[in-house]
Amino acid sequence: MKALGMILAGGNNRRMRELSSRRAIAAMPMAGSFRAVDFTLSNMSNSGIGTVAVITQYSSRSLDEHLSSSKWWDFGRKQGGLYLLNPTITPENNDWYRGTADAISQNLNFLYKRHEPYVVIAPGDGIYKLDYNDVIDFHSDNDADITVVCKDFPEDADVSRFGVLQTDEKGRILEWEEKPVASPFRTVSTGIYVIRRRLLISLMEQCREMEWTDLVRDVIMRQKNVMNIMAYRLDSYWTNISTVKAYYDANMDFLKDDVRRHFFHEYPSIQTKVDDYAPAKYNTGADVKGSLIANGVIMNGQVTDSILFRKVFVGNGTVIKNSLIFKDSYISDGAVLEYCIVEAGVTIPAGAVHKGTPEKPLIITE
Amino acid sequence: MIKKKMIAMLLAGGQGSRLGVLTSEVAKPAVSFGGKYRIIDFPLSNCVNSGVDTVGVLTQYRPLQLNKHIGIGIPWDLDRRVGGVSVLPPYEKTGDTEWYTGTANAIYQNLEFMERYNPDYVLILSGDHIYKMDYEEMLSEHKKKGADVSIASMPVPWEEASRFGIVVTDENRRITAFQEKPKEPKSNLASMGIYIFDWPVLKEALITLKDVPECDFGKHIIPYCFDQQKKLYTYEFTGYWKDVGTLSSYWEANMELVELVPDFNLYEEYWKIYTETDSMLPEYMAPSSSVEKCIIGGGSEIYGTVKHSVLGSNVIVGEGSVIEDSIVMAGAQIGRNVKIRKAIIAENAVIGDGSVLGEGKFAESKLDKRVYCAELVTVAADSVIPAGVSVGLNTAIVGATEASDYPGGRLEDGGFIVKAGEKA
């Protein structure tokens, strides 16, 4: 094994509004039957990474439940496997994780005990497919100290929710701005890093000593003129789900043939926890166009350009358009939903009408 | 010492020859059912839902698919430290090596397996029925009656009773006589082939009858126990129970699932059926799709029209195609502008653009009129049907067929094409 994995899944995000009040971002439902963290977990498993630590903190119950068995991602192993690193109180420390670097430096023991030469650090909210071995090869070919996986955005894109950077022609990172209101840079950091384990340990020991807490601000920004920090450019699909709009759009992308083919039908596959629901059932009156329908759904109504998660019931005469309906929801007869995100387990009463807009999907939590 | 109250022995070695080409490559218990399941999932799930955590699965005919499906039993939570699921194929012995020659002979050859668990009771099941049944309830009846052997039975319409093995009982449900396919049935309780034995009684019977050729539960073990004055009781089952041993009963049982509230409901939270999932993906309904009265498995991509049908996982239905009254199993690819009516298309079959399946009128099958008699088109797993051909009723297709196999672009009613593998 060349690398071990660390998934930073502890964060909350106020820009996810009501959606993140129930769960960590990494546990957000995606594409009908997945959760956001499945993409990073599957990428790690598919890259041959056999030992993965998931660092959790904020509202982790739903995430812990999702990860309660590691066998779905082939991490149910005697050697290595999946580790959940929740904040704990020790004689030396009684703080929560105060930032990304703090979360890692509070778990240095995990790094000390392993022997893999590299560590892949990734956030739990990225939606992409990537063989991390390609990044590790790039890292060693370029004698990098740290490699940051980046994505070039088009000129007109809004990058204000990302870390953006500028590189020289070889890909070395020269400038970095974190969530700039406006920036000339169009290369976005995906928050995925490759670093030698020993170097990470020494950087984290320093952070612990200096009480530095943030990986970008306190390590990368400070070191960029000294260390060789390289940008690996990802040219396939990548997005993260840090705002409601980004989350909604990322889901809707799966209704596009090329995105669906990339994630669903091209090797290797993305894995998730298996359910035991019967296949979806379409009764008389069902009229479904341009939509993704998960297992256990019972369909009696009209659904267009939407994603229905597991075990959703759709009553007679309902009209659902451009919406995400989370699992276990019950949409009663005659309800009308447009541009809505319906939380898990919600019952929409008969005849109810809810409409959001493409720019601001309406979140229905009860 | 290991001690299990009740272990189950699941007979899954049979071919199920009346399913024709559907079982040319897999044993009957491994045949797909209901868009996601295989037939064996029902008895296996019943076992775990009934608290039976030790199951021996006896395999013989074409076990590859079954072995892969069962694995170490993860989908049923039967991956256990003590007990769990064990696949038991026939094995070589010094001296008298033989295949499993009958249902009881198969169990006899696995005496050692059963001994290991030191059970009080042994449950004998077969892997070819669709039903939900609580074996624990049957066991508690067995104990309450002080029975040596309990036989599950279900009431059938009197006029059909002569097609079954019938048990005749007294008012306490103790069995007083057996009738095998009787002309004048004295009861309408049909045996379901599900037995609970007190372990010592079963063991004694198996050893005593070990030299009986093709030793069978119904023909030998049960009559022997009856003659030995053992206490045989029946456990009456009144839930849904479907034999899917023929193409028509298999097709009907699938079609019943698409009713608004089917008799056999797979959507209840209680008594779930577990399976090894082919696909965890949602299915995609394209803007050009139209679906009504059907069940569609995960990962499928529907661009055409599907009515009153059951589709498995990862099925592709091309634009302009219409599928009606059919079963399409996992991984099948249906091209564009294909018309399919009353067909059973097995796993990973490929149907070329513009072909028409199930068009014509009744004609006796030239392959096997006993098997292909329900006006169905039956296409075996991994078969290929070229573009632009027409296929009649009561037909069977196996293998990668080409346009030249269809004289005048047509497979006549009752016809068949078998290009590879064994003849069904």
Side-chain angles (χ1 to χ4, degrees), chain B residues 38-104:
Chain B
R38 295 185 189 274
I39 295 170
I40 197 171
D41 292 333
F42 297 89
L44 267 184
S45 300
N46 287 339
C47 280
V48 293
N49 289 335
S50 305
V52 177
D53 68 3
T54 306
V55 184
V57 179
L58 294 93
T59 60
Q60 176 157 291
Y61 175 80
R62 295 238 177 219
L64 178 63
Q65 184 69 58
L66 212 45
N67 287 336
K68 182 181 163 286
H69 185 69
I70 295 169
I72 59 166
I74 286 176
W76 304 271
D77 275 341
L78 283 171
D79 50 328
R80 299 184 68 93
R81 222 165 24 80
V82 178
V85 65
S86 304
V87 176
L88 304 169
Y91 55 94
E92 196 176 13
K93 301 169 237 359
T94 43
D96 59 339
T97 295
E98 58 176 356
W99 294 97
Y100 294 153
T101 59
T103 53

Side-chain angles (χ1 to χ4, degrees), chain B residues 118-308:
Chain B
N118 192 23
D120 293 328
Y121 308 99
V122 176
L123 170 67
I124 307 290
L125 301 170
S126 65
D128 45 10
H129 297 115
I130 306 297
Y131 65 113
K132 294 181 188 176
M133 179 170 171
D134 188 345
Y135 305 132
E136 200 165 26
E137 199 179 299
M138 181 174 170
L139 178 63
S140 76
E141 280 296 304
H142 178 89
K143 288 198 269 193
K144 205 191 295 173
K145 293 276 184 356
D148 294 309
V149 185
S150 289
I151 302 175
S153 65
M154 65 180 306
V156 294
W158 278 95
E159 58 273 19
E160 287 178 28
S162 56
R163 286 176 36 219
F164 294 90
I166 295 294
V167 295
V168 186
T169 69
D170 66 15
E171 67 277 12
N172 288 321
R173 297 270 175 237
R174 181 159 178 175
I175 296 172
T176 55
F178 289 95
Q179 294 180 298
E180 189 59 31
K181 297 185 179 155
K183 286 207 182 69
E184 289 171 21
K186 289 189 201 149
S187 143
N188 68 334
L189 287 177
S191 167
M192 299 160 69
I194 297 166
Y195 311 104
I196 290 178
F197 284 87
D198 276 13
W199 167 233
V201 173
L202 176 64
K203 188 175 166 185
E204 194 270 330
L206 289 172
I207 291 171
T208 307
L209 301 182
K210 70 183 164 66
D211 294 322
V212 174
E214 297 176 12
C215 192
D216 181 89
F217 275 95
K219 289 196 195 97
H220 305 108
I221 299 288
I222 298 294
Y224 170 81
C225 292
F226 188 69
D227 292 343
Q228 295 290 308
Q229 315 287 316
K230 299 291 182 199
K231 286 173 281 181
L232 275 63
Y233 282 84
T234 189
Y235 170 77
E236 195 178 322
F237 177 74
T238 50
Y240 182 95
W241 186 79
K242 190 91 179 177
D243 179 66
V244 288
T246 64
L247 285 176
S248 63
S249 65
Y250 171 79
W251 180 81
E252 275 165 24
N254 273 281
M255 290 303 128
E256 283 173 11
L257 295 175
V258 306
E259 292 306 317
L260 186 59
V261 180
D263 287 342
F264 191 68
N265 195 340
L266 292 165
Y267 297 85
E268 293 166 333
E269 277 297 298
Y270 178 69
W271 213 267
K272 275 190 176 175
I273 304 300
Y274 305 98
T275 188
E276 164 70 11
T277 306
D278 292 324
S279 174
M280 51 197 72
L281 298 171
E283 62 245 33
Y284 177 67
M285 299 291 154
S288 56
S289 76
S290 166
V291 287
E292 205 173 11
K293 282 193 96 172
C294 55
I295 286 176
I296 299 180
S300 291
E301 303 247 327
I302 311 296
Y303 294 87
T305 298
V306 184
K307 283 185 207 162
H308 197 255

Side-chain angles (χ1 to χ4, degrees), chain A residues 40-276:
Chain A
T40 301
L41 274 176
S42 300
N43 286 333
M44 292 206 169
S45 177
N46 293 337
S47 302
I49 295 175
T51 303
V52 174
V54 182
I55 296 182
T56 68
Q57 171 163 289
Y58 173 79
S59 195
S60 62
R61 190 202 56 77
S62 157
L63 186 59
D64 291 349
E65 187 184 305
H66 187 62
L67 303 178
S68 62
S69 174
S70 46
K71 59 188 161 199
W72 314 121
W73 304 272
D74 270 347
F75 287 128
R77 301 282 154 216
K78 269 194 301 164
Q79 304 293 326
L82 200 60
Y83 295 76
L84 287 186
L85 304 180
N86 291 107
T88 54
I89 292 173
T90 63
E92 294 82 39
N93 173 57
N94 54 16
D95 278 322
W96 294 89
Y97 298 147
R98 291 165 298 175
T100 46
D102 189 42
I104 298 172
S105 52
Q106 284 195 37
N107 289 291
L108 274 171
N109 271 335
F110 174 76
L111 294 171
Y112 291 145
K113 280 190 282 190
R114 305 301 309 180
H115 54 80
E116 288 85 345
Y118 295 101
V119 182
V120 176
I121 301 169
D125 63 353
I127 310 300
Y128 63 104
K129 259 183 166 180
L130 174 60
D131 185 343
Y132 298 115
N133 292 307
D134 295 345
V135 188
I136 293 169
D137 289 346
F138 172 90
H139 181 86
S140 65
D141 289 348
N142 287 283
D143 291 322
D145 293 305
I146 300 173
T147 297
V148 182
V149 177
C150 298
K151 175 85 186 164
D152 285 331
F153 272 46
E155 274 308 314
D156 56 344
D158 173 18
V159 295
S160 60
R161 66 189 174 96
F162 299 111
V164 289
L165 48 95
Q166 184 188 37
T167 66
D168 68 13
E169 68 280 4
K170 285 186 177 145
R172 182 169 173 181
I173 295 172
L174 304 174
E175 295 298 332
W176 186 304
E177 294 176 346
E178 200 51 24
K179 300 187 179 69
V181 176
S183 171
F185 307 149
R186 281 294 170 274
T187 303
V188 165
S189 162
T190 65
I192 303 161
Y193 311 103
V194 166
I195 183 170
R196 280 202 163 263
R197 183 175 55 92
R198 293 206 172 278
L199 177 60
L200 179 64
I201 287 172
S202 66
L203 288 169
M204 290 301 114
E205 283 171 341
Q206 188 188 26
C207 282
R208 188 166 61 180
E209 201 171 311
M210 306 300 289
E211 300 216 351
W212 291 337
T213 56
D214 191 79
L215 206 53
V216 171
R217 186 188 63 215
D218 299 322
V219 179
I220 292 174
M221 298 254 228
R222 289 184 68 258
Q223 298 283 359
K224 71 177 191 301
N225 301 329
V226 183
M227 285 185 167
N228 182 20
I229 302 182
M230 296 291 297
Y232 171 96
R233 286 183 161 81
L234 179 67
D235 50 18
S236 54
Y237 184 96
W238 176 86
T239 187
N240 76 355
I241 53 171
S242 57
T243 67
V244 171
K245 171 77 175 138
Y247 170 73
Y248 175 83
D249 289 346
N251 271 287
M252 289 301 164
D253 278 345
F254 281 81
L255 298 177
K256 298 173 186 161
D257 285 347
D258 55 338
V259 174
R260 209 171 52 254
R261 193 178 313 116
H262 177 62
F263 285 104
F264 286 4
H265 301 301
E266 283 171 10
Y267 185 85
S269 59
I270 305 297
Q271 303 295 312
T272 187
K273 186 175 174 176
V274 166
D275 63 46
D276 291 299

